Amino acid sequence: MKSRERVLMALQHQEPDRVPFDLGGTVTSGIHRIAYKNLLDYLGIKKDEIRIAEIHQQLADVHEDVLQRLKVDFRPVFSKLPEGWKPEFKEDEEYIRFKDQWGIGWRMPKDGGLYFDLDTHPFAGFTTVDEVVNYRVPDPADRSRLRGVKEEAQRLADTTGAALCLAGVSAGFLEMAYWLRGYEQFFVDLVWDPKMANAILDKTVEIKMRYWEMALKELGDIIDIVVEADDFASQFGLIISPETYRKFIKPRQQELFATIKKNSNAYICFHSCGAVYELIPDLIEVGIDALNPVQVSAANMDTKKLKKEFGDVLTFWGGGVDTQNVLNHGTPQQVRDEVKRRIDDLAPGGGFIFTPVHNVQPDVPPENYMAMWETWEEYGKYR
């Protein structure tokens, strides 16, 4: 069975020959450059260069022969930066810094830095809605973003047989609001200045709407999965109340996801970390097809319970192994036991795509990664 057929069966809640396996299909199911280098060394694979697929999280662009060896069923498709724009990296004594295309500042420590962290917020000092409305960003519908993308997507489809996942142009629209305004100030806006909060959310949703309308008109007949995201929860509960979500976020999600469905037949994989259990019925209602990363260590995110309550309509894209305590700090046997448990919980009836919870972090031993993979390979077969 080819990868694309296997993935589509799983998304349609049917049992293919085996549970599909993801590594790097999305920017929340990838592997950090350090963990990837360690894995290559462990497997005896020599590479002259490790390219970065996603700069903020420092994710590796996994080589095609490695994807083939690990039987990965997905390939990512990324748009380009608009023609004539590129980030300028600057260094001082402590940090490497840059501003992204939206004007958000990022920094990574020069000595041992693992990720680029938020640094500056362009809307931090804004006091009026007009300042938000008049803030200029590169055109999300600039067609130069798709230069060569359709041809590359077709090549991947023809040569790998994999399911293709199209990445968005920005982080989630709520997440973008945090980043543009600053977390604390945006939370204050939601309560004390809803006009400002709505203006910022309108801005960040517009970026996405314009991009998806343009991208899917070009790529909608090739792409199998559209990847969207927004982090609504922490380890122990929601970041915003259900009432706030339903007032400010849910109507915009409905509009955004309806636009995606209108312009393609793609499934929507939606990423939200943490304890999102309380919002899962809402997420199903607004049109998501798959939930990632299924953070099994967060409150109320037990895989058996999730499968029982939502498994008939929702695909679980993740949850294959706990990455906070087991994949990084456990023994290989503990990893194997965890993987078997999650497959038992999530695989029956389809609707499960195996990948760890979020990205593989730098401290994951390659022995543990391969213990996970070998257990999936042995135990993830339907027949």
Side-chain angles (χ1 to χ4, degrees), residues 82-154:
E83 204 162 46
W85 190 94
K86 63 179 181 178
E88 294 184 8
F89 293 88
K90 299 181 180 179
E91 297 188 19
D92 55 31
E93 290 185 2
E94 293 185 72
Y95 296 101
I96 304 168
R97 302 175 191 267
F98 78 98
K99 286 188 177 181
D100 65 23
Q101 61 185 305
W102 318 116
I104 301 163
W106 300 85
R107 70 182 189 183
M108 180 171 68
K110 290 173 66 175
D111 185 12
L114 299 176
Y115 320 97
F116 277 93
D117 300 309
L118 280 167
D119 187 26
T120 60
H121 313 281
F123 292 6
F126 286 4
T127 58
T128 67
V129 166
D130 284 345
E131 289 173 287
V132 173
V133 172
N134 294 327
Y135 183 80
R136 302 203 48 169
V137 297
D139 184 359
D142 185 338
R143 292 194 60 80
S144 70
R145 293 181 183 275
L146 297 185
R147 57 191 183 276
V149 174
K150 186 171 185 177
E151 293 78 8
E152 174 62 10
Q154 191 64 61

Side-chain angles (χ1 to χ4, degrees), residues 217-286:
K217 284 177 182 176
E218 181 77 12
L219 302 168
D221 58 343
I222 302 175
I223 296 302
D224 301 299
I225 298 114
V226 159
V227 182
E228 264 296 341
D230 250 318
D231 283 336
F232 297 138
S234 69
Q235 184 80 15
F236 304 107
L238 297 175
I239 294 173
I240 57 175
S241 69
E243 293 75 22
T244 300
Y245 162 80
R246 290 167 190 146
K247 178 179 179 181
F248 288 93
I249 308 305
K250 187 175 181 179
R252 292 178 167 94
Q253 281 189 312
Q254 287 176 315
E255 183 181 13
L256 176 63
F257 296 158
T259 296
I260 291 171
K261 297 284 188 178
K262 176 183 176 182
N263 287 284
S264 76
N265 293 317
Y267 292 87
I268 296 174
C269 173
F270 183 77
H271 167 89
S272 189
C273 287
V276 295
Y277 172 80
E278 196 171 355
L279 294 184
I280 289 177
D282 295 274
L283 295 173
I284 293 170
E285 186 178 335
V286 298

Side-chain angles (χ1 to χ4, degrees), residues 179-356:
W179 295 357
L180 287 162
R181 183 67 160 156
Y183 280 83
E184 182 176 348
Q185 187 56 57
F186 186 75
F187 285 130
V188 171
D189 292 339
L190 286 170
V191 178
W192 293 109
D193 194 353
K195 287 185 178 179
M196 177 66 82
N198 277 314
I200 295 171
L201 289 170
D202 285 345
K203 188 88 171 182
T204 57
V205 170
E206 181 187 13
I207 289 170
K208 288 187 167 292
M209 294 281 284
R210 297 194 63 221
Y211 167 76
W212 285 123
E213 286 176 345
M214 180 268 295
L216 291 173
K217 284 177 182 176
E218 181 77 12
L219 302 168
D221 58 343
I222 302 175
I223 296 302
D224 301 299
I225 298 114
V226 159
V227 182
E228 264 296 341
D230 250 318
D231 283 336
F232 297 138
S234 69
Q235 184 80 15
F236 304 107
L238 297 175
I239 294 173
I240 57 175
S241 69
E243 293 75 22
T244 300
Y245 162 80
R246 290 167 190 146
K247 178 179 179 181
F248 288 93
I249 308 305
K250 187 175 181 179
R252 292 178 167 94
Q253 281 189 312
Q254 287 176 315
E255 183 181 13
L256 176 63
F257 296 158
T259 296
I260 291 171
K261 297 284 188 178
K262 176 183 176 182
N263 287 284
S264 76
N265 293 317
Y267 292 87
I268 296 174
C269 173
F270 183 77
H271 167 89
S272 189
C273 287
V276 295
Y277 172 80
E278 196 171 355
L279 294 184
I280 289 177
D282 295 274
L283 295 173
I284 293 170
E285 186 178 335
V286 298
I288 77 163
D289 300 293
L291 178 67
N292 169 273
V294 195
Q295 189 175 331
V296 299
S297 58
N300 291 319
M301 294 297 288
D302 176 72
T303 46
K304 189 179 289 293
K305 177 181 179 182
L306 292 172
K307 184 71 172 185
K308 180 179 179 181
E309 294 188 22
F310 308 113
D312 58 334
V313 292
L314 188 65
T315 293
F316 296 100
W317 193 313
V321 61
D322 173 19
T323 48
Q324 286 185 292
N325 305 294
V326 179
L327 189 61
N328 52 353
H329 299 312
T331 65
Q333 187 57 51
Q334 287 172 322
V335 171
R336 293 185 189 100
D337 293 342
E338 168 86 356
V339 169
K340 289 180 181 179
R341 173 191 169 191
R342 302 304 176 185
I343 290 174
D344 281 343
D345 286 354
L346 294 171
F352 178 42
I353 291 163
F354 189 97
T355 194

Side-chain angles (χ1 to χ4, degrees), residues 168-179:
V169 74
S170 69
F173 67 79
L174 176 62
E175 199 166 34
M176 283 283 285
Y178 298 150
W179 295 357

